[in-house]
């Protein structure tokens, strides 16, 4: 925990916890089902920030959202990815692809997710479509979540170790992928440090005033 605390529940504003912002964007997207992978040691009080925990859980469940407890979540991102993918595959439904989204990116939008889905649907030969941004210092293209990964990558996702996430696979020559340039780099801001959180709060308050 680089933040020193579980950052999912940190509030950008009153009753606006970090992790809930991204989840609300997913609920407004074209995704058919959402699995939220959580550490069972966390309180996960961010889920019921605006409603009672019971009503919030009912709302999410009726919206196709399921909470998945990952007992090994603290060991690294690969374990959380594995838990989420296993839960989806256990249900036996035809699963052509998954979208991987990070809980510490509060400014993602449903439009971003829908663009990824649409791009992948139009180019079925692709193994993945990741969000792309220009690296500020060197101008290189960097691929990152949110990203959609096809069934052809599932075995490799299961083989990830430690804190390695999907980004590791984006660099592999085994897969054919595409970087969909983010329309607004700020939507990809992720919170890893107290300084990041301070900036995120400032940005959120600024966006709220614009609305």
């Amino acid at each position: 925990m680089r933040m020193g605390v579980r950052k999912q529940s940190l509030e950008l504003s009153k009753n606006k916890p970090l992790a809930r912002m991204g989840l609300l964007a997913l609920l407004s997207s074209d995704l058919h089902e959402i699995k939220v992978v959580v550490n069972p040691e966390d309180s996960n009080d961010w889920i019921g920030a605006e409603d009672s925990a019971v009503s919030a859980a009912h709302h999410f469940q009726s919206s196709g959202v399921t909470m998945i407890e990952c007992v090994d979540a603290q060991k690294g991102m690969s374990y959380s990815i594995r838990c989420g993918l296993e839960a989806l595959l256990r249900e036996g439904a035809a699963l052509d692809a998954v979208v991987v989204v990070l809980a510490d990116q509060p400014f993602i939008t449903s439009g971003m997710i829908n663009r990824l889905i649409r791009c992948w649907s139009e180019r079925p030969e692709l193994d993945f479509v990741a969000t792309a941004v220009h690296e500020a210092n060197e101008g290189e293209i960097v691929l990152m979540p949110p990203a959609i990964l096809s069934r052809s990558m599932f075995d490799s996702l299961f083989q990830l170790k430690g804190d390695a996430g999907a980004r590791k696979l984006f660099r592999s020559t085994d897969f054919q992928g595409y970087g969909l340039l983010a329309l607004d780099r700020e939507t990809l801001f992720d919170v890893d440090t107290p300084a990041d959180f301070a900036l995120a709060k400032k940005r959120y308050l600024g966006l709220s005033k614009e609305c």
Side-chain angles (χ1 to χ4, degrees):
M1 293 185 293
R2 278 180 283 180
M3 292 287 294
V5 296
R6 301 292 187 188
K7 57 186 172 182
Q8 291 90 335
S9 297
L10 294 176
E11 293 189 342
L12 299 176
S13 183
K14 184 174 176 57
N15 292 330
K16 302 295 181 183
L18 188 70
R20 189 180 176 97
M21 297 298 96
L23 180 55
L24 292 176
L26 298 183
L27 282 168
S28 301
S29 75
D30 293 335
L31 291 173
H32 296 301
E33 189 172 356
I34 301 171
K35 301 292 187 187
V36 181
V37 181
V38 298
N39 188 325
E41 296 181 2
D42 292 350
S43 67
N44 296 316
D45 54 352
W46 56 270
I47 301 168
E50 295 175 350
D51 311 292
S52 70
V54 174
S55 62
H58 175 74
H59 168 69
F60 286 150
Q61 189 174 39
S62 64
S63 302
V65 176
T66 307
M67 309 299 288
I68 304 297
E69 291 190 346
C70 180
V71 296
D72 293 321
Q74 74 281 358
K75 295 181 180 179
M77 189 180 299
S78 66
Y79 292 88
S80 295
I81 290 175
R82 191 175 304 130
C83 283
L85 188 54
E86 285 176 345
L88 286 166
L89 293 174
R90 271 198 306 269
E91 296 175 357
L95 189 62
D96 296 322
V98 296
V99 174
V100 176
V101 181
L102 305 180
D104 61 359
Q105 291 180 311
F107 303 118
I108 63 168
T109 67
S110 58
M112 294 172 61
I113 304 302
N114 292 342
R115 286 182 69 223
L116 290 169
I117 295 172
R118 184 165 57 250
C119 181
W120 180 79
S121 298
E122 293 172 351
R123 299 184 60 181
E125 76 279 5
L126 295 175
D127 295 301
F128 69 86
V129 179
T131 303
V133 294
H134 288 283
E135 183 63 43
N137 295 329
E138 301 178 4
E140 297 181 357
I141 295 293
V142 178
L143 303 181
M144 64 178 63
I148 182 167
L149 296 85
S150 72
R151 174 176 286 275
S152 60
M153 300 185 72
F154 289 179
D155 286 344
S156 294
L157 286 172
F158 279 123
Q159 293 171 22
L160 291 173
K161 304 293 184 182
D163 206 33
R167 289 192 195 189
K168 180 179 180 179
L169 301 181
F170 299 157
R171 298 189 294 268
S172 172
T173 57
D174 293 335
F175 303 111
Q176 181 181 1
Y178 180 77
L180 189 62
L181 195 64
L183 298 179
D184 180 2
R185 183 188 177 95
E186 292 299 314
T187 57
L188 297 170
F189 187 88
D190 61 342
V191 178
D192 288 326
T193 67
D196 290 340
F197 180 61
L199 289 174
K201 289 184 67 174
K202 183 177 180 179
R203 173 176 168 78
Y204 180 81
L205 292 175
L207 291 173
S208 299
K209 290 180 181 178
E210 291 176 9
C211 296

